[in-house]
Amino acid sequence: KKAAPRKEGEILIGFSSRDLSAEYTAKLSEAVVDYAKTKSGVKLVMVDAQSDVQKQFGQVENFIAQKVDAIILNPCELEASTPAVDRIKTAGIPLVLVNQVTKSAGDSYIGSNDFDAGRIAMEAVAQKLNGQGGVLMLHGIMGTSAQLQREAGAREIFAKYPGLKLVDHQTASWDRAKAMALTENWIQAHQGKFSAIFAHNDEMAMGALLALERAGLKKDVYVIGIDAIAQALTAVKEGRLDATVFQDAVGQGKGSVDAAILLAKKQPCPKETMIPFQLITRENLSQFLK
Amino acid sequence: MLRALELRKDFGGLTVLHPTSIDFLPGEVHALMGENGAGKSTLMKIVAGLYRPDGGQVEWRERYTEFTSPHDALVAGIAMIHQELMPIPDLTVAENITLGAEPCSGFGLIDRPAQLARAEELLGELESDISPTRMMRTLTVAQTQVVEIAKALGRQADVILMDEPTAALSDHEVAALFRAITRLKARGVAIVYTTHKMDEVFRLADRISVLRDGRLVGTAPAAELNPSKLITMMVGRELADVFPVRHSPSDEILLEVSGLTREPAYRNISFQIRRGEVVALAGLMGAGRTEVVSAIFGLQPASEGQICLKGKPLSIRNPQDALAAGIGMVTEDRKGLGLIPALGVGQNITLSALCDYGRGPLINHSAEAAASESQMTEFAIKATSPSQPIAQLSGGNQQKALLARCLLGGPDLIILDEPTRGIDIGAKAEIYALIQKLARAGKGILLVSSELPEVLSLAHRIVVLRRGSVSATLDAAATDQETVLRHAMPL
Amino acid sequence: MHTLDRNLLHRFGLLLVIFIVGLALSLLTDTFLSVANFTNVARQISINGILAVGVTFVLLTAGVDLSLGSVVALSGVACATFAHPGEHSVFVPIAVGLFTGAACGLVNGVLVTRGGVAPFIVTLGMMTIARGLALIFSGGRPVANMSNELTALAGDLFGIPIPVLCFAGVAAAAWFFLRNFRLGRHIYAVGGNENAARAAGVPVEKVKLFAYGLCGLLTGLAGVVLAARITTGQPNAGQAYELDAIAAVVIGGTSLAGGVGTITGTLLGVLLIGVINNGLDLMGVSSYYQAVIKGVIIVGAVWLDRRQARS
Amino acid sequence: MHTLDRNLLHRFGLLLVIFIVGLALSLLTDTFLSVANFTNVARQISINGILAVGVTFVLLTAGVDLSLGSVVALSGVACATFAHPGEHSVFVPIAVGLFTGAACGLVNGVLVTRGGVAPFIVTLGMMTIARGLALIFSGGRPVANMSNELTALAGDLFGIPIPVLCFAGVAAAAWFFLRNFRLGRHIYAVGGNENAARAAGVPVEKVKLFAYGLCGLLTGLAGVVLAARITTGQPNAGQAYELDAIAAVVIGGTSLAGGVGTITGTLLGVLLIGVINNGLDLMGVSSYYQAVIKGVIIVGAVWLDRRQARS
Ligand SMILES: Nc1ncnc2c1ncn2[C@@H]1O[C@H](COP(=O)(O)OP(=O)(O)OP(=O)(O)O)[C@@H](O)[C@H]1O
Ligand SMILES: Nc1ncnc2c1ncn2[C@@H]1O[C@H](COP(=O)(O)OP(=O)(O)OP(=O)(O)O)[C@@H](O)[C@H]1O
Ligand SMILES: [Mg+2]
Ligand SMILES: [Mg+2]
């Protein structure tokens, strides 16, 4: 299936996604691809960096060699993806960053701030516990930007409420099974000393939830995740999961395609479009279940 | 010059070498004799730095020395030809020969021309025509042994320990080795020589030391001994005639091979074996004997030709087929095609006939143990228990275990490729007796052996191979070594 | 029997390490030594345990299987796809999961035996392929909405977690098989010296095919159990599970060169890894240091064990 | 020489596959066949290439090194920590990175040779330990703010990317070394038959130590190059890099059992993996299918290669 030759006047957009095997990014990337299909005169090529900065860098170089008209980059990392951004800028290709910033700015950024996600989630915990109680935190893969920023956001809230105590925190590498085992161990070690679990993503929140349910402790513990993946929403609806933080994958995806087209046509485009995180609880769930 | 002082070695709580002292003198061939498992190799390996002694010392040039590795011993001037062949399969012959002593031109850079020249020179000394650029993997067992010898000769050592260097060699190479040894003696090199071939001892040795069950029985000048005296020292009793009488075979044809061909190794091989008959395949090294019998056993099927057993044509694609048809074989390459090193002796023995010791897919452990123990007794296999890993047995005992494996399934046709290699004289006599017993019981035996006396006295008929073709089929009773050799020699 | 002796020694060295680690944890935490926590450890090691038992067979034949983790994910996805409530009987998703695993294992086996490709490459290929297939079949999303009958597989039976029962059953069967079946002995022979085994009439190809197939089947089982436990078929589940499983087997004394090893050893290896993971969590050791400590204990345990077995 | 013949054959089979893949890509895309893209491929394979060359040495001795990826991260972090602008000369961070890698490699080597622990376990332990250390030293955060002199290492020299030059240099040196140096041949001997090598007076322990140390050093180099390229010491970089590197080496005909293999083979393996990755991206194949296709091509290439080498 030969990649059709570029037609005159057609806009070619290169899109490097951070990791298509992660549910949130997959959703975002699907939105990008689907939305691009609805635009006539636009051809989009998507590649998957599989969470590897260096691989993504290579993909960016491939795009430059292909002389694409615009690049949408969903960077793997805050720091380490910066050279890739610089390379694109040196090549003079319009660049849209989506979902994650880098040290160097692109021509446009569509997304949200992971600090906010951590802040919103922990704030919800603080409200629920009235600023008093023990909290456990499940980290994503250590050293990744999302983990670092979500942790930093959460720590801000801990500083604000001295009554909140971080009983223990540990990585479960974004993985549900690992989060489940970790929570089981925590139940042994800290039973009765914690009343909330904050997971850096919903996968891990689901794992914590399952462990708590199995131990019959869910009613005593408030569990919150980030991303609002489908299963998390269902769980919120069923009253199992307490809350999650919504990140608008579809909104970010569409926004980035629009921005890329504007930039490729050398039309003005907003430097930054923030699509804020939102807390989802049972109360406001209906507006997110479309 | 070299002296073993009260050397002792234990393996897993078992003393295999009791405190033993022997002197070795320059310019002398000192033969080390003894039954399988007597501790000959163990003693030599201690001297060569491969094993650390559990007691006693090595005195070298009037000084006590402790070699912590073969490297130390080699640097000091002690080289060893190991009983166990140790090729590096994916290096060239030249690289194997010069291993550890590569000629270098500074900075550790190998001087290739010098390396090749050295290898040629050493092979030339052994009158061998193996090309130094061949890959070791492609060599036959005998050729591998020649390379091992060349490797040790090349170390310019003052002592060379030779542990059964001729086990895989035929007369031609043996003669060349002996000439080389004579030259070494003249240079004042001390040679320690172990063998199970009686004639060699008396041709070579100046003095002889005999070990039995890990103890030194005695040391004597060769001139003071004769074969029967020596055997008595080794075995602890007198041994009757080694070769038993042959019985005449029946007329029923057991195996008929016709037109077996696999170019370029052999072509158009035809012969028959009757029940109760021992047929020997004779020939020089590389004549293709191993390849022919491998084809019959399905290890490397022939491309053309027919094999009929008991009048039925067989299509043998692998050893499984052969075993099912009633053909058993003891391979020449003990280590490569025989032993499962980590399994116990008993499990090695029962491996081929495991179906007979159990119900359905299950193993009946007690039946299996009984079978392996009776085989071990019958073949006098020296091991601490049936579960001792076979890798820990002495070479001769390993060979006996493989024979036991082959016979356990009760095959009609038994192929023996160099079955007595590395086997002591007592055990050899037992194996010869066994071969005759099997023949009497109506089995057919196809024997490949490089020892012509063995061939002449065991076989009824001798099929001589020359470069992959049958050059003669001789009646063993009416022929002699010269005739066989004449047919074996390339024209 | 000597093989047994040697294993007892091996066992003893490892047991010692496990005992020391356990003792340390009992002193350092007040939660390690409790029935609830032991159940926990048992539950947590059961998936790695099932995988380790399976891959023991492959390692014994001197092969390797790097595709475990991906095949766990693929079987989990396959199982979950057929496990929506009210669609099929609960046996269908289980069968589908097991079948998927076994099929992957058999493909590995065929490529190794007939294709003559090194097991490392074959199973590395399968690792990528199975992961890709898991993502394709699931559309990159977790397959949720599994029936309660299936997720009940992660529950308890007579107070014992079903995954633990599965693991125990699998281990006992494997132990019995390797000791008492002819095919079990043949596996050791093939791993010990393939050419010699062939010359002794062992059907080497069939033996290997069996080992890979069985390993695949057990991987499928692990996939089903995992899916039941996390109530989803997760296409990116099981990352690097093969490493933990192979590590457990090798810690337990099985040689990567084949021909040597036992199921009891594997069990101890699985237990050691499980206890370390559990204990470090209980002690609240920071995850950075957890990694370092875990690495040190594993290497140290094997070192001690081998030293002790040698003497 | 026979070694050469056989390598030519190996080479030929793989070359054929690479050629076919390349041809297909040239027809299917209009960008594959361009200088810019070739430079890209070269740049993209250089890190895997350096690692693959290093691990070739270890595999030749019949060992294995699973710690590559983690050590890349650790050396990158170590290098970046000393690379802040204006603090040290550019040689300091480079030396620190190389030293870190070499130290890890030597520790591996010592544990394998003196400790008698299986390379798989030792390097698996090091994999966890080095990752933990990278996180500890960096505080779990990317170490940024590297001097321009250091990041210039990812730039060009005479129009050729410096990482590519590093890779080429390393490969050429390794090729020459393995063929013509005594130590190089001893590496083959140790891998081919360790007992025989020891009996022939080859200092087996030293040879292995050298192989692990060199592999570590080159891993350190890869870490430095990666840090320069992404201008950060990333503690979670290099995940699973060991698999790609070992795969390249094995595809290139090096036996995991040791004693057989060449640097030219490794280069072809690296090239094949690089071309597949690049080509599938260029064609815009969905990443799920990429995984499947990549797995199939790798297994297929090795299968073809071995088949052809046998005949
Ligand atoms: N690594 C080992 N572990 C345990 N026992 C061993 C080991 N090596 C040798 N033995 C035992 O030591 C004894 C002496 O063996 P050795 O190899 O020295 O005999 P040998 O005299 O050379 O016999 P052969 O003529 O058969 O070569 C044997 O009983 C053997 O089983
Ligand atoms: N000098 C040689 N040069 C090249 N190839 C040889 C040489 N000698 C033997 N061969 C190879 O070995 C094959 C025959 O080996 P085989 O092992 O069957 O011989 P054999 O008669 O059993 O000798 P032995 O067992 O004494 O080594 C030949 O087909 C040939 O390929
Ligand atoms: Mg001996
Ligand atoms: Mg022969």
Side-chain angles (χ1 to χ4, degrees):
Chain A
K1 56 172 184 184
K2 170 144 183 159
R6 266 170 86 174
K7 296 188 211 86
E8 229 10 72
E10 187 187 58
I11 297 174
L12 180 60
I13 302 174
F15 169 43
S16 172
S17 169
R18 189 177 62 75
D19 192 345
L20 284 177
S21 67
E23 188 177 2
Y24 179 80
T25 329
K27 206 157 85 180
L28 186 154
S29 307
E30 194 178 280
V32 169
V33 172
D34 290 349
Y35 189 61
K37 276 196 196 124
T38 66
K39 300 278 171 182
S40 61
V42 172
K43 185 166 142 39
L44 182 125
V45 183
M46 176 174 70
V47 292
D48 176 7
Q50 292 164 350
S51 292
D52 184 342
V53 179
Q54 127 99 351
K55 188 171 170 73
Q56 188 166 51
F57 201 166
Q59 291 170 338
V60 162
E61 288 165 345
N62 288 346
F63 285 149
I64 295 170
Q66 282 170 277
K67 299 196 175 66
V68 296
D69 299 304
I71 292 175
I72 303 176
L73 187 65
N74 172 208
C76 292
E77 289 293 334
L78 173 79
E79 295 280 357
S81 295
T82 308
V85 169
D86 292 340
R87 176 74 54 86
I88 297 172
K89 285 164 75 180
T90 316
I93 296 176
L95 168 66
V96 180
L97 293 178
V98 60
N99 188 247
Q100 167 73 54
V101 288
T102 59
K103 274 285 141 77
S104 303
D107 298 295
S108 177
Y109 174 65
I110 318 283
S112 14
N113 188 339
D114 268 315
F115 281 99
D116 293 341
R119 238 182 260 138
I120 291 170
M122 267 316 293
E123 185 66 45
V125 171
Q127 296 302 328
K128 173 76 187 176
L129 305 187
N130 292 321
Q132 288 291 333
V135 181
L136 295 169
M137 178 154 58
L138 287 155
H139 294 280
I141 290 179
M142 302 307 282
T144 53
S145 297
Q147 178 267 326
L148 289 169
Q149 291 163 21
R150 287 172 191 186
E151 180 184 0
R155 293 222 180 241
E156 236 172 66
I157 307 297
F158 276 110
K160 205 168 112 193
Y161 296 92
L164 277 188
K165 205 171 143 290
L166 185 58
V167 175
D168 207 341
H169 61 116
Q170 196 69 256
T171 183
S173 308
W174 308 121
D175 182 84
R176 185 183 298 204
K178 285 204 183 103
M180 203 172 161
L182 183 56
T183 309
E184 286 168 353
N185 290 340
W186 274 344
I187 292 172
Q188 294 304 314
H190 308 300
Q191 189 167 5
K193 288 185 228 144
F194 63 95
S195 31
I197 295 181
F198 162 43
H200 283 179
N201 75 351
D202 279 342
E203 274 300 329
M204 296 191 292
M206 291 301 295
L209 178 68
L210 287 168
L212 288 168
E213 284 176 344
R214 179 146 299 140
L217 295 172
K218 177 61 197 75
K219 57 186 183 319
D220 309 325
V221 182
Y222 183 83
V223 181
I224 184 165
I226 296 180
D227 281 349
I229 62 171
Q231 262 191 55
L233 292 177
T234 316
V236 171
K237 187 173 157 202
E238 290 165 350
R240 296 167 62 212
L241 188 67
D242 294 288
T244 177
V245 179
F246 175 71
Q247 194 172 184
D248 188 356
V250 177
Q252 291 183 0
K254 285 184 177 169
S256 56
V257 175
D258 284 334
I261 293 172
L262 286 177
L263 288 171
K265 291 184 177 156
K266 306 209 164 38
Q267 284 165 1
C269 162
K271 214 51 212 139
E272 191 173 273
T273 313
M274 289 308 269
I275 301 182
F277 281 104
Q278 285 165 276
L279 185 70
I280 303 182
T281 58
R282 222 169 160 189
E283 286 71 56
N284 65 352
L285 180 70
S286 52
Q287 60 188 101
F288 297 96
L289 277 181
K290 287 162 235 158
Chain B
M1 173 160 62
L2 175 74
R3 177 180 265 174
L5 276 179
E6 299 292 304
L7 285 181
R8 186 172 64 89
K9 182 74 192 166
D10 304 334
F11 280 116
L14 211 79
T15 307
V16 301
L17 189 65
H18 295 274
T20 301
S21 304
I22 307 181
D23 293 348
F24 304 102
L25 306 175
E28 181 196 68
V29 176
H30 193 131
L32 210 51
M33 301 294 290
E35 292 184 283
N36 293 132
K40 308 179 293 291
S41 301
T42 306
L43 178 68
M44 291 174 128
K45 283 180 185 165
I46 294 174
V47 174
L50 210 69
Y51 288 165
R52 305 282 286 273
D54 293 311
Q57 264 153 329
V58 175
E59 193 189 292
W60 171 238
R61 294 192 200 282
E62 268 87 62
R63 228 184 278 161
Y64 292 129
T65 26
E66 186 156 346
F67 299 129
T68 53
S69 70
H71 184 75
D72 293 354
L74 284 164
V75 170
I78 301 178
M80 175 163 175
I81 301 169
H82 292 269
Q83 175 180 16
E84 181 191 342
L85 297 179
M86 296 204 242
I88 316 271
D90 292 288
L91 294 187
T92 62
V93 168
E95 285 174 327
N96 267 275
I97 290 177
T98 57
L99 185 65
E102 295 86 352
C104 286
S105 55
F107 307 115
L109 257 172
I110 293 176
D111 181 350
R112 296 243 178 231
Q115 186 180 41
L116 280 181
R118 182 97 186 100
E120 298 231 17
E121 178 198 330
L122 288 165
L123 288 170
E125 221 171 294
L126 293 168
E127 298 163 38
S128 162
D129 58 353
I130 307 167
S131 156
T133 54
R134 269 176 72 182
M135 292 304 277
M136 207 59 194
R137 185 182 286 292
T138 65
L139 264 51
T140 62
V141 177
Q143 291 171 323
T144 309
Q145 183 137 40
V146 171
V147 170
E148 299 270 321
I149 296 170
K151 184 155 74 175
L153 295 188
R155 303 307 292 249
Q156 307 286 16
D158 300 317
V159 176
I160 303 182
L161 307 159
M162 303 188 172
D163 195 355
E164 304 194 25
T166 57
L169 297 188
S170 58
D171 290 351
H172 172 70
E173 294 86 27
V174 173
L177 172 64
F178 284 8
R179 282 190 284 275
I181 289 178
T182 314
R183 287 194 293 274
L184 289 170
K185 265 174 77 170
R187 282 215 325 256
V189 175
I191 309 254
V192 185
Y193 195 94
T194 293
T195 186
H196 290 295
K197 299 183 180 172
M198 283 297 147
D199 56 323
E200 290 184 356
V201 184
F202 289 99
R203 271 164 70 194
L204 269 182
D206 301 308
R207 281 197 302 155
I208 300 176
S209 288
V210 176
L211 287 176
R212 187 163 71 221
D213 293 330
R215 285 175 221 274
L216 183 67
V217 177
T219 304
E224 291 176 12
L225 292 172
N226 60 34
S228 70
K229 259 195 192 159
L230 179 57
I231 291 170
T232 314
M233 274 175 90
M234 284 166 57
V235 190
R237 64 191 150 86
E238 272 188 57
L239 212 62
D241 193 11
V242 183
F243 294 112
V245 273
R246 277 176 295 217
H247 288 255
S248 41
S250 78
D251 290 334
E252 186 190 343
I253 289 175
L254 180 65
L255 176 82
E256 178 157 19
V257 172
S258 45
L260 219 55
T261 301
R262 191 170 62 78
E263 294 290 358
Y266 52 86
R267 63 209 65 81
N268 204 20
I269 307 287
S270 308
F271 60 89
Q272 300 175 339
I273 301 178
R274 286 169 291 168
R275 277 194 182 281
E277 186 180 35
V278 181
V279 172
L281 272 187
L284 297 183
M285 162 187 162
R289 296 164 299 172
T290 296
E291 308 226 346
V292 169
V293 292
S294 298
I296 299 173
F297 190 60
L299 277 167
Q300 216 179 2
S303 49
E304 277 169 61
Q306 216 186 23
I307 301 166
C308 290
L309 193 73
K310 293 179 253 180
K312 266 188 297 184
L314 299 177
S315 97
I316 295 173
R317 287 151 299 150
N318 52 43
Q320 243 184 308
D321 294 344
L323 285 164
I327 304 177
M329 173 163 169
V330 176
T331 53
E332 167 187 47
D333 184 0
R334 181 160 70 215
K335 207 167 153 219
L337 290 175
L339 308 175
I340 315 282
L343 283 186
V345 194
Q347 298 186 335
N348 264 285
I349 290 175
T350 54
L351 186 61
S352 291
L354 211 51
C355 324
D356 302 342
Y357 305 97
R359 217 167 345 106
L362 281 167
I363 298 171
N364 179 342
H365 287 290
S366 53
E368 188 200 359
S372 59
E373 267 163 40
S374 82
Q375 288 293 89
M376 284 175 69
T377 323
E378 172 160 3
F379 289 83
I381 295 168
K382 211 175 136 192
T384 50
S385 81
S387 56
Q388 183 178 17
I390 199 165
Q392 293 177 1
L393 263 55
S394 79
N397 281 304
Q398 293 176 346
Q399 184 72 17
K400 288 197 249 173
L402 293 182
L403 237 137
R405 176 199 290 170
C406 167
L407 294 180
L408 188 60
D412 295 313
L413 175 71
I414 298 152
I415 303 172
L416 304 171
D417 195 357
E418 311 281 4
T420 57
R421 157 168 321 157
I423 285 199
D424 69 47
I425 182 100
K428 240 182 218 174
E430 289 161 24
I431 288 178
Y432 296 155
L434 183 78
I435 289 175
Q436 296 305 347
K437 197 175 101 188
L438 290 167
R440 265 203 310 277
K443 314 269 183 199
I445 288 152
L446 180 54
L447 174 73
V448 178
S449 172
S450 298
E451 287 184 54
L452 277 183
E454 191 172 289
V455 165
L456 284 166
S457 23
L458 284 177
H460 296 101
R461 277 185 307 131
I462 303 174
V463 178
V464 187
L465 289 192
R466 181 199 289 148
R467 288 194 173 148
S469 307
V470 177
S471 58
T473 304
L474 306 167
D475 182 358
T479 188
D480 53 18
Q481 293 208 17
E482 284 69 42
T483 320
V484 176
L485 269 178
R486 192 159 38 79
H487 287 289
M489 285 295 197
L491 299 172
Chain C
M1 261 170 54
H2 191 93
T3 354
L4 253 175
D5 293 353
R6 225 177 25 168
N7 294 335
L8 261 169
L9 272 176
H10 269 292
R11 210 179 288 170
F12 184 68
L14 255 191
L15 268 179
L16 195 77
V17 175
I18 295 176
F19 179 76
I20 293 172
V21 171
L23 193 74
L25 288 172
S26 318
L27 295 175
L28 291 170
T29 71
D30 37 60
T31 37
F32 179 75
L33 217 58
S34 68
V35 175
N37 191 50
F38 284 173
T39 318
N40 242 356
V41 173
R43 195 173 10 226
Q44 284 162 20
I45 65 177
S46 51
I47 287 173
N48 186 32
I50 295 171
L51 293 173
V53 168
V55 83
T56 302
F57 284 79
V58 171
L59 293 180
L60 280 177
T61 67
V64 75
D65 192 344
L66 299 176
S67 67
L68 299 181
S70 302
V71 175
V72 162
L74 180 60
S75 329
V77 164
C79 165
T81 312
F82 288 85
H84 299 313
E87 282 187 5
H88 304 282
S89 128
V90 68
F91 298 108
V92 175
I94 297 179
V96 168
L98 296 181
F99 175 80
T100 309
C104 292
L106 286 174
V107 170
N108 282 338
V110 168
L111 286 168
V112 168
T113 53
R114 305 253 157 253
V117 182
F120 185 91
I121 288 290
V122 167
T123 59
L124 187 76
M126 181 54 82
M127 170 179 177
T128 338
I129 294 171
R131 181 71 63 191
L133 291 178
L135 287 163
I136 291 171
F137 290 146
S138 65
R141 268 163 224 218
V143 182
N145 191 20
M146 286 168 68
S147 72
N148 290 337
E149 289 83 49
L150 196 92
T151 55
L153 274 185
D156 291 0
L157 195 72
F158 314 124
I160 302 172
I162 298 179
V164 177
L165 292 176
C166 282
F167 172 36
V170 162
W175 179 83
F176 185 82
F177 180 87
L178 281 177
R179 282 177 65 89
N180 297 312
F181 274 65
R182 197 158 56 238
L183 191 47
R185 179 74 56 77
H186 283 175
I187 286 176
Y188 283 96
V190 167
N193 184 346
E194 184 172 326
N195 290 328
R198 188 174 289 117
V202 174
V204 174
E205 271 65 40
K206 277 185 210 149
V207 171
K208 285 193 180 178
L209 204 59
F210 170 81
Y212 283 93
L214 181 69
C215 179
L217 182 74
L218 291 181
T219 310
L221 176 63
V224 172
V225 172
L226 180 66
R229 184 162 149 82
I230 64 175
T231 68
T232 351
Q234 192 79 18
N236 55 2
Q239 304 274 3
Y241 276 22
E242 55 278 355
L243 284 184
D244 257 5
I246 298 176
V249 180
V250 179
I251 290 172
T254 296
S255 156
L256 283 167
V260 182
T262 54
I263 294 292
T264 37
T266 297
L267 295 191
L268 290 178
V270 170
L271 191 63
L272 180 66
I273 293 185
V275 168
I276 299 176
N277 282 340
N278 171 266
L280 292 176
D281 276 356
L282 290 188
M283 287 175 57
V285 176
S286 124
S287 49
Y288 306 167
Y289 288 95
Q290 277 207 9
V292 176
I293 296 173
K294 192 174 155 184
V296 170
I297 295 185
I298 289 179
V299 175
V302 174
W303 177 73
L304 249 174
D305 190 51
R306 298 302 174 271
R307 224 178 104 94
Q308 199 250 326
R310 238 176 287 149
S311 66
Chain D
M1 257 173 58
H2 193 92
T3 353
L4 251 174
D5 293 352
R6 226 185 18 174
N7 293 334
L8 261 169
L9 272 176
H10 269 291
R11 211 178 290 170
F12 185 68
L14 258 191
L15 266 179
L16 194 77
V17 175
I18 296 176
F19 179 76
I20 293 171
V21 171
L23 193 74
L25 287 172
S26 319
L27 294 175
L28 291 170
T29 72
D30 37 51
T31 35
F32 179 76
L33 218 56
S34 68
V35 175
N37 191 49
F38 283 173
T39 317
N40 271 349
V41 173
R43 199 174 4 228
Q44 286 156 24
I45 63 177
S46 50
I47 287 174
N48 187 33
I50 294 172
L51 292 174
V53 168
V55 84
T56 303
F57 283 78
V58 171
L59 293 178
L60 280 177
T61 68
V64 73
D65 192 345
L66 300 176
S67 66
L68 298 182
S70 301
V71 176
V72 162
L74 180 59
S75 333
V77 165
C79 164
T81 311
F82 288 84
H84 301 314
E87 281 185 6
H88 305 281
S89 128
V90 67
F91 297 108
V92 175
I94 297 179
V96 168
L98 296 181
F99 175 80
T100 309
C104 292
L106 286 175
V107 170
N108 283 337
V110 168
L111 286 167
V112 167
T113 52
R114 304 253 158 253
V117 181
F120 184 91
I121 289 290
V122 168
T123 59
L124 187 75
M126 181 56 80
M127 170 178 176
T128 346
I129 295 171
R131 181 71 64 193
L133 291 178
L135 286 163
I136 291 172
F137 291 148
S138 64
R141 261 152 243 273
V143 182
N145 188 23
M146 287 167 71
S147 70
N148 290 337
E149 288 84 49
L150 195 93
T151 56
L153 274 184
D156 291 1
L157 193 72
F158 314 125
I160 303 172
I162 297 178
V164 176
L165 291 177
C166 282
F167 172 36
V170 162
W175 178 83
F176 186 80
F177 179 84
L178 280 177
R179 281 176 67 88
N180 297 312
F181 273 80
R182 197 171 160 182
L183 189 49
R185 300 321 287 176
H186 284 179
I187 285 177
Y188 283 94
V190 167
N193 187 342
E194 187 173 323
N195 287 330
R198 186 172 291 118
V202 173
V204 173
E205 272 64 40
K206 278 185 209 150
V207 170
K208 285 193 180 177
L209 204 59
F210 170 81
Y212 284 93
L214 182 68
C215 178
L217 183 74
L218 292 181
T219 310
L221 177 63
V224 172
V225 172
L226 179 63
R229 187 158 148 82
I230 64 177
T231 67
T232 343
Q234 189 77 21
N236 57 0
Q239 304 274 2
Y241 277 19
E242 55 278 357
L243 282 185
D244 256 5
I246 299 178
V249 179
V250 180
I251 291 172
T254 296
S255 156
L256 283 168
V260 187
T262 53
I263 294 292
T264 36
T266 296
L267 295 191
L268 290 178
V270 170
L271 191 63
L272 179 65
I273 293 185
V275 167
I276 298 175
N277 281 340
N278 171 270
L280 291 177
D281 272 356
L282 287 187
M283 286 175 58
V285 176
S286 127
S287 73
Y288 304 167
Y289 287 94
Q290 277 202 15
V292 176
I293 296 173
K294 193 174 153 184
V296 170
I297 294 184
I298 288 178
V299 176
V302 174
W303 177 73
L304 249 175
D305 190 50
R306 299 300 176 273
R307 224 177 105 93
Q308 198 248 329
R310 238 177 289 150
S311 66

